[in-house]
């Protein structure tokens, strides 16, 4: 059996999928032409940003997490924001069924932040560990930028592998937060910490 | 008959019906094959579509999160289906995301160009969009090998073969029906011919019977004529004798003479002869009373040897072989008459002289011998009279026993001798048989049933000695 991996045009795909406007696309093509490196900071965060809201399709929150039947899915960026305005443009108009996806930036995370997906960038005001601790036990899908072994990681922690953006999933933490990460997403994870794990 | 005719018409119609049936069968076979083919394609199509849908659902996350390795795992899992020749996942721009193909098959295209599923060159190209959150994020492509035409034809060959065989069978039956119909028609015609022949035969038999009746009638008339002639002639002679003698007697008496005794005797003799003639006629008509008594034929013949010799004259020699010892029951006088009659007939058959053999013997008939076909088995006394005379031709032999039939000139025979003898023998429960060969002679055989109760054998022997 032969396998055909279509890795050549990743940047283009990402650009299309994230619906970047023309200048950004042009910039990306230039970058691609120059380096063809997926790990290039802005491209990396474009991909991570796109993933951020796409996780919504593969996660189930308890009904209580949404005030109304068609309440918005709040994607929060806490502290440092590596995505920039491109993410605002990418999220604009995205929906999860009847729910709109709304991007919010907050400085400090609390139990009442009303976030469903929370990218914890960490800042002087609130460390990553503190932000994670603040929302522990509430239905929030926490996402951290770089997986650190033994460190403060969210339910989903991005990682770079073979020049690709991958992620680890802490399903146990998801269980503690009362949210369900669906199997297709678990199947894509680089590593999964199962629910029964210590 | 009308029923048969109806059936016949039905038979006649059968070949065309059978032909129609055969054609129908073939058409049905082809239709069935086409239908099965379509069903097969539709089913295969559905199967592959379902697999494509499952794959599309499975690889959604992998496509969304750009994980072609996981997508590849899903695709590899499909390899267990031998019908799948190639499979691929394309991203939303139509570029190859992940794919596999079998070693001898074309790899999936680098870009997906087609929009819809298609069947091409015995291959099913199935496209299924990958939908995530209501948005198409890619396309799943499956290429399945449908069975080759040869394989399918082979699969349908059985059906077609059956259909063809059934058609052939029907055709053979039809031809058999036709042959049978023809044979039936021929048979019917033969039967009709046969019936016609039978009718003609019956008509001919009737005509023949009529002709025979007429012949018999004419024979009877002829016989009556002969009888009348013979009897009239005989009586006339006798009457002449009687009249002559009476006239002589009358003349003598007028002359007063008394020597008239011989005229009276002559007249009386004539009267006696007339009486005998009457007796014979009566015997012929079987009105003559018989007085049967136990008779030993050997002794009877022995006693009348002298009479026989006088009757046949000097030219004819009589030889007797008298071995019969059993007794029989009959009228001895009539039996004597019969034997005398036969001897005289024998003499008449030998105008130039000859020999008459008279034999008697005892015989036991166990089985019906050919010469005595209708005779009951038992003990009999046989008497045969054989001459070395002229014999009788067939037509004479056949009429020999008929009354009044005679080959002798008018006046010499009444034609009653053999007939009366036959009548008498039958009346005495005996049998009379005539064998004759022209130029060699005639044998008359008489069989009389043994009279067992008469006298014990020992006494019989004593008496005989």
């Amino acid at each position: 059996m032969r396998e055909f991996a279509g890795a050549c045009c990743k940047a283009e795909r990402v650009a299309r999928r994230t619906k970047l406007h023309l200048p950004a696309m042009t910039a990306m093509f230039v970058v691609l032409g120059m380096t063809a490196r997926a790990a290039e900071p802005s491209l990396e965060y474009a991909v991570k940003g796109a993933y951020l809201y796409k996780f919504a399709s593969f996660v189930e929150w308890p009904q209580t997490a949404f005030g109304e039947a068609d309440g918005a899915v709040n994607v929060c960026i806490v502290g440092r924001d590596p995505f920039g305005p491109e993410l605002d443009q990418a999220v604009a108009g995205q929906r999860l069924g009847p729910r709109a996806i709304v991007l919010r930036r907050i400085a400090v995370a609390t139990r009442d932040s009303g976030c469903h997906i929370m990218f914890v960038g960490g800042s002087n005001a609130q460390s990553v560990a503190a932000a994670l601790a603040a929302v522990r036990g509430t239905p929030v899908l926490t996402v951290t930028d770089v997986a650190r072994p033994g460190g403060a990681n969210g339910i989903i922690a991005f990682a770079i592998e073979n020049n690709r953006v991958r992620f680890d999933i802490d399903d146990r933490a998801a269980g503690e937060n009362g949210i369900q990460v669906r199997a297709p997403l678990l199947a894509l994870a680089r590593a999964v910490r199962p629910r029964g794990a210590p | 008959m009308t029923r048969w005719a109806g059936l016949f018409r039905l038979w006649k119609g059968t070949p065309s019906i059978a032909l129609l049936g055969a054609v129908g069968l073939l058409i049905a076979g082809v239709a069935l094959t086409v239908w099965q083919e379509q069903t097969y394609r539709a089913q295969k199509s559905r199967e592959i579509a379902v697999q494509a849908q499952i794959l599309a659902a499975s690889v959604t996350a992998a496509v969304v999160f750009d994980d072609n390795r996981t997508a590849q795992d899903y695709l590899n899992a499909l390899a267990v289906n031998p019908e799948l020749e190639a499979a691929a996942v394309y991203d939303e721009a139509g570029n190859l995301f992940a794919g596999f193909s079998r070693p001898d098959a074309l790899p999936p295209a680098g870009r997906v160009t087609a929009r819809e599923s298609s069947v091409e060159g015995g291959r099913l190209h199935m496209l299924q969009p990958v939908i995530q959150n209501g948005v198409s994020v890619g396309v799943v492509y499956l290429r399945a090998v449908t069975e080759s035409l040869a394989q399918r034809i082979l699969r349908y060959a059985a059906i077609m073969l059956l259909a063809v065989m059934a058609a052939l069978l029907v055709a053979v039956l039809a031809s058999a029906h036709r042959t049978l119909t023809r044979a039936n028609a021929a048979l019917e015609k033969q039967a009709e011919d046969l019936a016609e022949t039978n009718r003609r035969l019956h008509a001919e038999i009737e005509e023949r019977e009529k002709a025979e009746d007429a012949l018999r009638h004419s024979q009877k008339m002829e016989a009556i004529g002969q009888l009348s002639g013979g009897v009239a002639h005989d009586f006339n002679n006798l009457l002449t004798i009687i009249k002559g003698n009476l006239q002589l007697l009358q003349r003598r008496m007028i002359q007063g003479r008394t020597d008239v005794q011989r005229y009276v005797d002559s007249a009386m003799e004539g009267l006696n002869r007339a009486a005998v003639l009457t007796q014979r006629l009566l015997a012929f008509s079987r009105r003559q009373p018989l007085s049967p008594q136990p008779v030993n034929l050997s002794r009877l013949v022995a006693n009348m040897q002298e009479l026989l010799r006088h009757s046949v004259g000097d030219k004819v020699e009589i030889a007797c072989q008298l071995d019969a010892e059993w007794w029989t029951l009959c009228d001895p006088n009539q039996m004597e008459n019969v034997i005398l009659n036969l001897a005289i007939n024998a003499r008449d058959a030998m105008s130039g002289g000859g020999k008459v053999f008279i034999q008697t013997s005892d015989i036991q008939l166990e089985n019906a011998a050919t010469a005595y076909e209708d005779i009951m088995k038992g003990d009999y006394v046989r008497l045969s009279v054989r001459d070395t005379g002229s014999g009788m031709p067939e037509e004479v032999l056949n009429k020999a026993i008929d009354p009044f039939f005679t080959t002798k000139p008018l006046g010499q025979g009444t034609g009653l001798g053999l007939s009366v003898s036959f009548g008498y023998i039958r009346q005495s429960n005996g049998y009379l048989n005539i064998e004759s060969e022209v130029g060699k002679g005639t044998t008359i055989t008489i069989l009389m049933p043994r009279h067992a109760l008469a006298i014990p054998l020992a006494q019989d022997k004593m008496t005989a000695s």
Side-chain angles (χ1 to χ4, degrees), chain A residues 103-149:
Chain A
L103 186 65
R104 291 167 60 191
R105 290 182 174 82
I106 54 176
V108 175
T110 65
R111 295 183 72 83
D112 304 318
S113 295
C115 299
H116 298 100
I117 298 173
M118 181 184 282
F119 179 82
V120 183
S123 66
N124 294 333
Q126 192 180 33
S127 69
V128 171
L132 292 175
V135 295
R136 182 161 297 146
T138 64
V140 179
L141 178 74
T142 55
V143 181
T144 53
D145 193 1
V146 180
R148 295 181 187 84

Side-chain angles (χ1 to χ4, degrees), chain A residues 2 10 13 51 57 95, chain B residues 65-66 91 98 100 132-133:
Chain A
R2 283 173 288 177
K10 181 173 179 62
R13 279 208 311 281
Y51 284 9
S57 302
R95 300 186 71 82
Chain B
F65 294 105
D66 193 29
D91 62 21
F100 89 86
Q132 200 274 318
N133 196 20

Side-chain angles (χ1 to χ4, degrees), chain B residues 140-408:
Chain B
V140 161
Y141 166 77
L142 293 181
R143 187 165 72 218
V145 190
T146 52
E147 256 180 350
S148 72
L149 194 67
Q151 277 176 307
R152 273 174 285 156
I153 284 172
L154 210 63
R155 204 146 52 82
Y156 299 129
I159 298 173
M160 292 310 289
L161 195 69
L162 275 176
V164 166
M165 276 173 74
L168 270 176
L169 197 68
V170 167
V172 166
L173 276 176
S175 108
H177 279 177
R178 189 176 295 187
T179 312
L180 205 64
T181 306
R182 282 196 195 133
N184 272 355
L187 265 178
E188 208 166 309
K189 193 172 176 332
Q190 278 183 359
E192 272 171 20
D193 289 352
L194 212 60
E196 176 57 30
T197 309
N198 203 28
R199 267 197 298 280
R200 277 212 308 273
L201 203 64
H202 273 293
E204 274 175 22
I205 287 171
E206 253 171 54
E207 264 174 42
R208 178 156 295 185
E209 275 174 359
K210 273 185 203 161
E212 277 177 5
D213 279 347
L215 188 65
R216 218 169 284 136
H217 184 70
S218 72
Q219 279 177 339
K220 209 183 283 175
M221 293 311 287
E222 187 191 341
I224 290 169
Q226 275 187 341
L227 173 68
S228 312
V231 171
H233 189 78
D234 283 5
F235 271 100
N236 205 32
N237 283 347
L238 296 173
L239 288 174
T240 306
I241 291 166
I242 295 163
K243 190 183 173 189
N245 280 303
L246 286 177
Q247 279 175 342
L248 286 169
L249 178 65
Q250 192 182 31
R251 207 177 291 164
R252 292 289 183 276
M253 283 181 76
I254 290 168
Q255 291 170 355
R257 292 164 68 165
T258 54
D259 54 341
V260 294
Q261 189 55 43
R262 73 188 169 102
Y263 303 119
V264 173
D265 287 349
S266 293
M268 282 303 287
E269 199 195 326
L271 283 170
N272 283 339
R273 280 170 65 186
V276 167
L277 192 59
T278 308
Q279 197 81 5
R280 282 172 135 195
L281 284 168
L282 282 174
F284 168 66
S285 65
R286 297 194 187 161
R287 291 203 186 135
Q288 187 188 39
L290 295 174
S291 48
Q293 48 189 279
V295 171
N296 184 305
L297 287 185
S298 296
R299 217 174 292 171
L300 186 86
V301 174
N303 288 340
M304 59 185 295
Q305 271 190 22
E306 197 58 30
L307 175 66
L308 288 171
R309 261 184 251 290
H310 282 299
S311 303
V312 300
D314 299 334
K315 284 198 230 168
V316 175
E317 189 191 334
I318 290 183
C320 293
Q321 189 187 345
L322 306 171
D323 299 331
E325 292 183 351
W326 292 341
W327 292 66
T328 186
L329 198 65
C330 63
D331 185 324
N333 293 330
Q334 289 301 328
M335 189 53 88
E336 277 181 9
N337 274 348
V338 167
I339 294 166
L340 192 61
N341 243 311
L342 295 178
I344 288 166
N345 279 346
R347 179 204 65 189
D348 291 345
M350 301 182 290
S351 48
K355 209 168 180 180
V356 175
F357 300 92
I358 300 177
Q359 287 178 303
T360 63
S361 60
D362 300 330
I363 60 164
Q364 278 184 310
L365 292 181
E366 288 301 331
N367 300 308
T370 44
Y372 315 108
E373 254 174 48
D374 54 345
I375 300 173
M376 304 264 289
K377 68 177 185 181
D379 293 344
Y380 289 92
V381 178
R382 186 176 68 175
L383 170 82
S384 66
V385 176
R386 182 160 66 87
D387 65 52
T388 56
S390 53
M392 288 180 277
E394 186 83 21
E395 63 270 20
V396 175
L397 186 63
N398 287 340
K399 292 166 85 174
I401 292 175
D402 288 2
F404 311 117
F405 175 80
T406 182
T407 54
K408 296 169 190 172

